[in-house]
Each structure stands twice: as C-alpha cells, then as structure tokens.
Amino acid sequence: MSSQLPYGSWPSPLTAAWASASSLRLDGAAFVGDEIWWGESLPDEGGRVAVLRRTAAGEVETMLPSPWNARSRVHEYGGGAWTVTDDGILFFVDKGDQRVRRLHRGAPEALTPEDDDTSYGGLRWQHGTLLAVRERARAGATPERHIVRIDHAPGGDASADRITVLAGGSDFVAQPAISPDGEQLAWVAWDHPDMPWDRTRIRVTRVADPSHVLDVTDGSTAALQPEWLPSGELLLIDEPTGRWNLHRADPTAPTPPQPIAPADADTGGGLWVLGSRWYAPLDDGRILAVRTHGADQLVLVDREGGGIPLPFPATARLQIEDVRAGRALVSGAAPGASGLWIVDVADGEVTAVRGGMPDVDDVWIPHARQLTVEGPHGPVHAFAYAPTHPEVTAPAGELPPYLVWVHGGPTAHVGGTADSKVAFFTSRGIGVLDVNYGGSTGYGRSYRERLKGQWGVVDVDDVAAAARGLVDDGLADSRRLAIEGGSAGGWTVLAALVGTDVFGAGVSRYGVGDARALAADTHDFEARYLDGLIGPLPEAEQVYIERSPLSRRERFRVPLLLLQGDEDAVVPPAQAEAIRDALVAQNVPHAYVLYAGEGHGFRRSETIVHALEAELAFLGQVFGFDTPGVAPITLD
C-alpha cells in the first residue's frame, strides 16, 4: 500500500554510502591470458587506484597492492597509468613520484629515474614495446611532452638510458600506436591555443628515423585515436563532415583519410584523459565502436561499412578497453551502476565482469526522459529523471523540486543513464535534470562550437531554457529549482545564479568564480582553453571581467553550498573562498566545506558520502522539507 509524503521527504534505502559504493570508477582493462585485469579507484582506500584481476576460476585478486597508487598527472587529468603484458607483467605510474615501475612476482622495480619535474602517462604495451607520454615541466620553462619507448627489461639501473624519445615537436602528444612490425609510430599532436577537440594532427614517423614526420591529417579537424592494421594502413577518427567518424588512411599516399562508416553520430569525444578508446579493430576486419548521439551505443562495423547495433546494458561513458579473439572488454555506465563487461562479438552475449548491475531492485531506478527545448541559441538537449519510489507518492497537486545538473568540461557530455547519485535524489522525491548545454560533445562539431567565445552566456541560457521547459511541461515546481555542477559546471552554476532568476538555490563543486584567476592559476593543459571559450588575453580582459560571477557579486541572492578539495590544482580553493567571502558580504545563506586530501573531483568514500548528504540537507533546508536519516546542515 502506498503512502503520501511531500516531495523531498520520502524515506529511501538508497543511502549516500550505497551511492558511493555503487559508483565504480574504472581506469582501463585488459585481457591477460584467461584472466581479466582492470584498474579501479577504491574509495575506502582514499581513492587509491589499484589494479585487480579476475582469474579463470572467477576469483578477484589485487595485483597492485597498497600503498601503490596507479595515477598519472600528465595533462593534470592523467589516464593510462598502467598496462600489462600477455604474461602478466604489470607496468604502472605511481601517483607519489610519477615514475614507471615494473611488477612481476616481487616488489615493484623502478624503470625511470627519479625526477620531481617529470611525469609519465598514457602507458601502452604493443608488440613487445612499452610506450608512454612523458611530460617534463622545468621551473620557468614551458612543459615538454614526448612519446617515449621505455626499456622494460628486469634488473639494471633506473636511468635515462632506458628511455628513447620517439616523437615530440608539439605542445601536446597522446594516444601512441606502434605498427605490428614495430617500424612505425602514429600519435595525436596539437598545440596551444587549441584543445584536442578543436584541432589536432595524426602524425606518423619511422621508429628508426624519428626525424622524418608525416602528417596524415591536415590539422583543420580534431582527429583522434590512430590504430594500425596488419596491412600497414591506419584507422583513425576524423570529422571533416562535422561528426567524429571512423576513417582509413594510407600513410604512404597523398590522399586524405577516407570514411569507413559515415553516421550522424560521433565515434569520439573529448580527449581529457590519455587512455580513452572509442573503437577497436577486430581480427576478422570488422570494428567494434561507440556511437554517440545523446546516449552511447555499441556498434559492430562490418567490412562494407555498415553499422550493426549490439544490445548492451550501458548507454553512457562507453569505452572499448581491449579486444581479443572475438571478445571485447567494454566499460560504461548502465542504469543504477557503472561497470565492465565482456562482449562476445560472435553471438552478442554480454557478461558482467565488475559491477554493471544495480544491487537494488530496479523499481528504484528512474527512467530517462529525453528532453529537447528551444533556447535562445538553438535546441538544448537534456535528460529528465522524475521522482521514483515504489511505495510513496506526493500529495495531489504538489509539483516536485528539481536539481538541474551541469556537467563539467565544459567539453563533455552526459548520456541519459541514471547512476546511483541520480537514484539517491529521485528516491527521495527530488527530480534531476541533466543538461547537455551548447558546447557538449555527442551532437557534432557545430553543437560543440556553440560555446566558442560564449562561455558564461550560451551555457547559462541553455540550462535556464531546459529548466523552464521542464516547468512549462508541468513537471517541476518553478519555486524549487536548484542548480548543481562541478568545475566548469560550477562556473555555470555561479553564472546562472547571478545572471538569471530561474534558480532558488545552487551547489558549486570546485567551481570557477573568476575567469582571469583561472587563466592565471590553471595548469598548462588548459592554459589556453579560455582563449576559445571567452577570448585571448589581454585583448579580451574586459569580457573576462564582465562574464565572471565574482564581478557581479551583488547579484548573489539565493542560498549556495560550496564544496571544495584542498589539493585542487585545476581550480584552487582560493576560487571557492572568494565566492564564500562575496556571500558573506551580501548576507546570503551559505555553507563552505573544504575536504582535506581531495583534488579536482572527489575520490574518498567519506568525502563522497558527506558531499551527497550535505547536498540533500541543504536542499531540504532551503526548500522546506524534512530529510529522514540525514542531519540538517548549518548555513552561515
């Protein structure tokens, strides 16, 4: 029998601890003989990234024990911090000193020399070769990045003699791939002020003569992920038509890459981390790929270029981690749980390896409602999740509060999958609206470029339009709309609060309040990102001032929750503290929580739990509903 309770106050078994435990954060996976290995962030161990394996007998064992932590800081966001050979030799980058180590039946052995200014990432084991991206940031000098080969033989000194530079000459390099005969190297390169979703080049060189470099793409597009075929041809992702699609290229021929399977969907995305893979060639000539138009879809591209959709439980954050003998390891987010699966390409059978299935009844998991509204700059895409509870309804005539989520990046996207955090709120009677505002990936280059020069305008207008659309459809209470986002999403939260009257509260996770301070303080990977989002400095300084929420501090008027990590190098705590000071000056109710040991994105279980409960308590206090099982929060 169902009962009636006001929205927001519904009792729920889906605790913050459950949401933390159900949100797997995976970092790569590989077939190793009859075993499966993967990287996983362990919230109960402070977010340490361990390498685990599932044996042929189905047992799960830890291959990289504490205190080792496979984390790279190349490009700040890292990625590709471990790789493994077919016979189980593990190579990894430790977070503490960023050296590459070898682990096989004993203690880890350092392969690279100790150097506080040098980091490694993007590790890749191919055809007996250990490849890596090396980043060297000498004091007072521009960082240098190279593709290097590392001598992986056991024993010997961890010296510079183990390292051979194979490619460089660009501000940034990523995604190295060596040909099956070991003679050629392909990689992605780009230079400031471009980001890897603006313009890149696919480059090729001969390993024996790295001085001779051939550009396979011309630098007018954002080409990604080169992979060699046994024939000596290259597969790659390119976007001459405005959609990231698969292409084939002959590096020895002057002709441009040719499309393989054109589609009005993207195979590709923002290259934020070095280990990203959106497709993989199979031994029989077919290709397993991810296609994105809003949601992600797994497709099998046949030899004629046709794309056959494969049934797959996940529809967001899909990555092709590895393929072997007609099987693939694919990670992603499914309703209620993220996970890692084996896909048998022959019969389409899908088997969960890690996570992948919610550990609660699916009656608690909300279904995504795709929403497209017309905004001032064109259509705005979003996914709405209504309050969902098997035993409780709201009183007749009451409309629910909604939490409008703004993803980070801003060059990123959400895929319409209700994860455990969504369910945490919807099970309590709080709806969630997840917005792919202009600038998001997954809808083609023109949608991505809508934000060009308009950060703080288009994103704000789009999230406001999406929220108003929800109200116009009679689905949300216009007086109880809150907006939440992290990093670049936090900027949009703050800009929306000072620039619109749509939202009655805000939650900013490590958000940007001062664009000039971000340009001055941020790391090299994003040092020129704002050139495209706002404009180059110093010419556009006045625009930076006008767009920054802190320049309009008198417009802060609704309650705000600020959540920040004290080790954040991307958006330092000074940004959140400046916002806090502005709220104090304006007598705006607020709370500021600084989490020790956290960086740009929360990894510790205690942080994740506290932040979720703090958000719920904040919404309850601001919008006037009880929060059973969660203590009230004190607002200053």
Side-chain angles (χ1 to χ4, degrees):
M1 179 179 295
S2 64
S3 58
Q4 284 191 348
L5 288 171
Y7 284 117
S9 62
W10 297 354
S12 172
L14 309 186
T15 65
W18 167 83
S20 173
S22 298
S23 300
L24 286 178
R25 189 166 184 164
L26 302 175
D27 185 10
F31 291 109
V32 182
D34 294 332
E35 301 173 347
I36 296 167
W37 294 37
W38 68 91
E40 182 176 334
S41 177
L42 305 178
D44 290 340
E45 296 186 30
R48 179 180 80 88
V49 178
V51 178
L52 310 176
R53 73 170 177 180
R54 192 185 75 174
T55 68
E59 298 176 350
V60 175
E61 300 175 350
T62 300
M63 302 308 296
L64 185 63
S66 180
W68 302 106
N69 187 352
R71 290 272 301 277
S72 165
R73 64 169 179 250
V74 173
H75 299 175
E76 189 62 39
Y77 296 102
W82 69 277
T83 190
V84 62
T85 69
D86 292 342
D87 52 355
I89 300 173
L90 175 66
F91 304 104
F92 69 96
V93 178
D94 185 65
K95 178 187 176 184
D97 60 14
Q98 292 296 291
R99 300 170 75 184
V100 178
R101 286 176 168 81
R102 179 185 192 274
L103 176 59
H104 190 233
R105 298 191 183 97
E109 173 187 4
L111 299 179
T112 56
E114 187 173 2
D115 185 343
D116 291 341
D117 297 323
T118 300
S119 303
Y120 296 85
L123 301 188
R124 194 167 195 195
W125 174 262
Q126 277 193 304
H127 313 301
T129 301
L130 178 59
L131 300 170
V133 175
R134 185 184 69 182
E135 181 178 84
R136 305 182 77 174
R138 303 300 187 192
T142 302
E144 296 180 352
R145 299 172 181 91
H146 297 90
I147 305 293
V148 299
R149 180 178 62 207
I150 300 174
D151 177 3
H152 53 84
D157 296 332
S159 69
D161 293 339
R162 283 187 178 267
I163 301 166
T164 302
V165 174
L166 299 180
S170 305
D171 291 334
F172 301 95
V173 293
Q175 296 185 313
I178 201 160
S179 60
D181 60 10
E183 294 184 0
Q184 297 187 86
L185 178 77
W187 72 98
V188 180
W190 69 97
D191 295 299
H192 282 312
D194 289 323
M195 299 298 288
W197 41 84
D198 295 326
R199 279 168 292 276
T200 67
R201 295 177 188 269
I202 302 294
R203 292 187 157 170
V204 171
T205 190
R206 301 197 70 82
V207 173
D209 181 17
S211 63
H212 180 70
V213 176
L214 173 69
D215 285 342
V216 177
T217 61
D218 63 10
S220 64
T221 58
L224 300 167
Q225 196 188 336
E227 304 285 356
W228 291 96
L229 295 173
S231 64
E233 291 181 300
L234 271 179
L235 291 177
L236 55 96
I237 298 168
D238 205 357
E239 49 156 15
T241 64
R243 281 289 202 176
W244 274 313
N245 280 179
L246 291 169
H247 287 68
R248 187 189 304 265
D250 181 352
T252 66
T255 55
Q258 299 300 304
I260 295 174
D264 189 23
D266 285 327
T267 294
L271 188 58
W272 286 99
V273 297
L274 292 172
S276 299
R277 294 282 184 274
W278 294 278
Y279 76 92
L282 304 174
D283 292 340
D284 62 6
R286 296 181 295 174
I287 302 168
L288 189 67
V290 179
R291 280 185 180 167
T292 305
H293 185 79
D296 292 347
Q297 184 180 56
L298 195 63
V299 299
L300 187 61
V301 178
D302 60 29
R303 298 173 190 83
E304 288 72 43
I308 305 168
L310 297 179
F312 194 69
T315 59
R317 302 198 296 272
L318 263 61
Q319 291 280 293
I320 312 296
E321 304 288 3
D322 196 13
V323 295
R324 185 75 55 84
R327 299 190 306 160
L329 286 171
V330 183
S331 62
S338 52
L340 176 68
W341 294 265
I342 299 174
V343 179
D344 190 315
V345 178
D347 58 17
E349 182 181 357
V350 177
T351 306
V353 176
R354 187 71 162 177
M357 292 292 291
D359 53 5
V360 298
D361 194 297
D362 61 9
V363 298
W364 292 96
I365 308 301
H367 298 288
R369 175 180 182 265
Q370 192 161 341
L371 179 73
T372 301
V373 302
E374 281 299 320
H377 312 281
V380 183
H381 303 292
F383 296 96
Y385 305 93
T388 301
H389 198 295
E391 298 172 354
V392 180
T393 59
E398 183 182 0
L399 289 172
Y402 257 79
L403 188 55
V404 178
W405 280 358
V406 189
H407 66 67
T411 312
H413 102 289
V414 292
T417 295
D419 61 16
S420 58
K421 183 180 176 184
V422 171
F424 173 81
F425 287 106
T426 57
S427 67
R428 288 168 168 78
I430 302 168
V432 173
L433 181 67
D434 220 352
V435 185
N436 278 321
Y437 50 90
S440 301
T441 58
Y443 301 95
R445 188 178 185 100
S446 61
Y447 197 80
R448 252 180 17 245
E449 291 190 338
R450 184 189 291 180
L451 203 59
K452 190 173 183 178
Q454 295 296 308
W455 194 39
V457 178
V458 165
D459 49 324
V460 171
D461 289 345
D462 283 1
V463 296
R468 291 191 187 102
L470 203 64
V471 171
D472 292 343
D473 286 348
L475 300 175
D477 185 344
S478 63
R479 298 163 301 173
R480 295 191 293 174
L481 295 175
I483 183 170
E484 189 261 3
S487 189
W491 156 276
T492 305
V493 167
L494 300 169
L497 294 181
V498 300
T500 78
D501 59 0
V502 174
F503 303 102
V507 179
S508 172
R509 292 175 173 238
Y510 34 89
V512 178
D514 184 340
R516 288 183 302 168
L518 178 66
D521 294 342
T522 198
H523 53 107
D524 187 58
F525 177 68
E526 294 182 85
R528 303 291 299 278
Y529 193 11
L530 298 187
D531 284 25
L533 292 174
I534 298 177
L537 287 170
E539 297 89 338
E541 183 172 10
Q542 188 58 37
V543 181
Y544 280 66
I545 295 171
E546 292 169 357
R547 297 268 181 87
S548 294
L550 275 169
S551 298
R552 295 170 284 170
R553 62 187 66 208
E554 74 282 356
R555 292 278 295 159
F556 283 117
R557 61 192 185 283
V558 301
L560 187 61
L561 174 63
L562 302 168
L563 305 174
Q564 177 72 41
D566 72 343
E567 296 181 2
D568 194 335
V570 179
V571 182
Q575 292 261 356
E577 289 160 7
I579 295 293
R580 177 203 58 196
D581 294 345
L583 298 172
V584 170
Q586 293 298 117
N587 293 315
V588 175
H590 67 279
Y592 173 51
V593 185
L594 184 66
Y595 294 108
E598 293 286 7
H600 197 66
F602 301 150
R603 290 177 174 267
R604 300 171 183 264
S605 58
E606 60 269 26
T607 302
I608 296 168
V609 169
H610 185 275
L612 272 178
E613 292 183 343
E615 285 187 42
L616 178 62
F618 172 75
L619 294 176
Q621 183 156 335
V622 171
F623 291 148
F625 53 77
D626 295 330
T627 56
V630 174
I633 189 172
T634 299
L635 300 183
D636 296 325

